[in-house]
Each structure stands twice: as C-alpha cells, then as structure tokens.
Amino acid sequence: MRIDIITIFPDYFDGPFSHSIIKRAQENKLVEIFIQDLRPHSTNKQKSVDDYQFGGGSGMVMNIQPIDNCISKLKSERNYDEIIYLTPDSPTLTQNTCNSLSSSKNLILLCGHYKGIDQRVRDHLITKEISIGDYVLTGGELAAAVLTDTIVRLIPGVLSDETSALSDSFQDNLLSHPIYTRPSEYKGWKVPEVLLSGNSKLIDKWREEKSIELTKNIRPDLLK
Ligand code: ADE
C-alpha cells in the first residue's frame, strides 16, 4: 500500500511513523508513506496556501489551487482508491471503515487547517471525508496519523500475530475482554480463577461474557 499525506506541516510526521509497528511495516515494504508538502504547489509569489473567506467571517480558508495541483500531480502518476479529507464535519471513523480502507492500493490523505478548505475541493477533488471524533483538533495532521495507524496495522503481515487484529475491540462490535499476565496475585489483587484453569471452553465463555458485559456498560450504542 502507498499513502500520500498532503500537509502544510511536513515535519509533523517525523514522529508518528518512525516507531515500532508502523516503522517496521515500512522497512518490510508493506506500506510506503509519502509526506507531500503543499506549499511548493502554490503558484503565487508568496507561496501562500490560504486566503480570506468570501462573504466575510473570521478564519482563513485553504485555497483550491495548490491542493488541485498537488492532487493532480499524484493522480497523473498512479490511480488512487480514495482521496480522503480529514475534517470534523464528516462521518466518524469506525473500525469497519478502517477494515475496508486497509485493502486499498493507493490513498491520498489531505490535512486541513485554519477555518477549513474551499468547498470546491470537497465537491470536486475529494472522494471520502472522515472525522476521527466529535471534537476539534488544531489541524488534520493528527487525524491523518491516527487514520494511517489504524489502516496500516490491518495490512496482512504487519502484525506478527494476525489473530490479534481479529480479537481487537470493535472487530465484532464488542469491546475486548479484560486481559492479565503474571503474577497471578499482586498486593492481594487476584487474576480471575477461570483464566488459570486451563479449560479453554470455560475461558472462551468467560471472555465472551465479559466482552458483552463491558460493551453493555460502557458502549451500549454498539449493541444497537
Ligand atoms: N481536523 C480537526 N479536527 C478533526 C477531527 N476531529 N477529525 C478529523 N480531522 C480533524
């Protein structure tokens, strides 16, 4: 898979993709992540990428021209499955969306800033819009990093034990059951007896019951 992230803060991504699983996925050529600096695509002298809002109002709006140039250049080089704009005023990201995006070949993620982007970008250039939650970030970069992380870990071969993605919270619309490791007792706090029983049927039953109980208590909306 190839992911192109269009941003006005290319340095932002020095951190999130250079550790642990996502770093190894790139080293193993399971994913290529390219950070595309938007500013050089601006055709005006100042290399500006934003302007005042038509009709008045506070906040700057990102111009269509640099975004169109950048996306057009990428599209002239390969076909993209989706061109995604990260913005809070759009459908919220779910594990289902991550699952389906994880089989893409090429993706573009566009990070917004200021007040937002010219609506014509959304109407004519973007194929999918995603919010990572009902709160507002200072920009789309963190959202793009979150989306990339959730997709990349689902690419076959990225997680060493593929079943560990299948048993994630949300994969079957349930939160995952509690987990424990040694010691079996710490400061008098005991691990549930059943997990030490060696009876895999009983353990599976306990885990399922706990998943359902937790989901009912914490996220009843998932059971609807
Ligand atoms: N940009 C700012 N806030 C965001 C959010 N919640 N999701 C996606 N992109 C954003």
Side-chain angles (χ1 to χ4, degrees):
M1 183 191 294
R2 173 185 169 116
I3 302 177
D4 288 276
I5 301 179
I6 303 175
T7 174
I8 53 169
F9 295 118
D11 296 347
Y12 188 92
F13 295 95
D14 289 350
F17 305 137
S18 21
H19 302 278
S20 178
I21 294 170
I22 308 298
K23 180 183 181 201
R24 207 166 46 237
Q26 293 170 90
E27 288 167 355
N28 293 340
K29 303 273 178 277
L30 295 168
V31 67
E32 287 180 296
I33 301 171
F34 292 90
I35 307 301
Q36 306 290 349
D37 187 2
L38 183 63
R39 210 168 282 282
H41 293 275
S42 172
T43 51
N44 67 39
K45 259 204 204 117
Q46 300 77 25
K47 295 286 169 200
S48 72
V49 291
D50 64 318
D51 211 331
Y52 295 101
Q53 193 175 158
F54 278 130
S58 66
M60 304 295 275
V61 179
M62 287 174 75
N63 299 109
I64 188 168
Q65 178 276 311
I67 297 172
D68 185 29
N69 271 38
C70 183
I71 291 177
S72 299
K73 178 171 182 292
L74 291 170
K75 281 171 71 174
S76 73
E77 293 161 355
R78 68 197 63 76
N79 290 323
Y80 284 89
D81 300 82
E82 297 283 5
I83 301 171
I84 301 170
Y85 175 47
L86 284 310
T87 177
D89 55 346
S90 58
T92 313
L93 182 63
T94 62
Q95 191 65 40
N96 263 347
T97 309
C98 301
N99 290 344
S100 60
L101 287 175
S102 71
S103 54
S104 311
K105 238 177 128 300
N106 302 304
L107 292 173
I108 292 176
L109 311 187
L110 172 64
C111 307
H113 257 278
Y114 316 115
K115 187 93 188 160
I117 60 176
D118 189 305
Q119 182 61 33
R120 289 166 293 184
V121 173
R122 301 175 71 164
D123 292 345
H124 302 289
L125 306 177
I126 295 297
T127 63
K128 193 175 185 66
E129 300 187 325
I130 293 177
S131 161
I132 64 158
D134 291 342
Y135 41 79
V136 180
L137 303 164
T138 55
E141 281 74 13
L142 197 48
V146 168
L147 180 61
T148 302
D149 189 288
T150 60
I151 295 170
V152 170
R153 67 188 288 284
L154 295 171
I155 299 172
V158 168
L159 295 183
S160 49
D161 177 5
E162 273 194 53
T163 59
S164 72
L166 293 176
S167 62
D168 285 341
S169 280
F170 306 116
Q171 281 297 8
D172 45 12
N173 260 357
L174 290 176
L175 302 186
S176 67
H177 55 75
I179 52 170
Y180 300 86
T181 185
R182 281 184 291 195
S184 60
E185 184 171 343
Y186 182 76
K187 291 184 175 177
W189 303 323
K190 290 185 179 148
V191 168
E193 203 66 49
V194 59
L195 297 178
L196 311 173
S197 69
N199 185 329
S200 59
K201 261 200 181 138
L202 273 185
I203 293 172
D204 287 348
K205 185 165 168 280
W206 180 87
R207 287 178 169 164
E208 196 188 334
E209 283 169 4
K210 281 288 171 191
S211 277
I212 294 169
E213 183 188 319
L214 278 174
T215 311
K216 264 188 194 154
N217 289 337
I218 299 171
R219 291 293 307 274
D221 56 301
L222 292 175
L223 297 170
K224 274 176 204 145

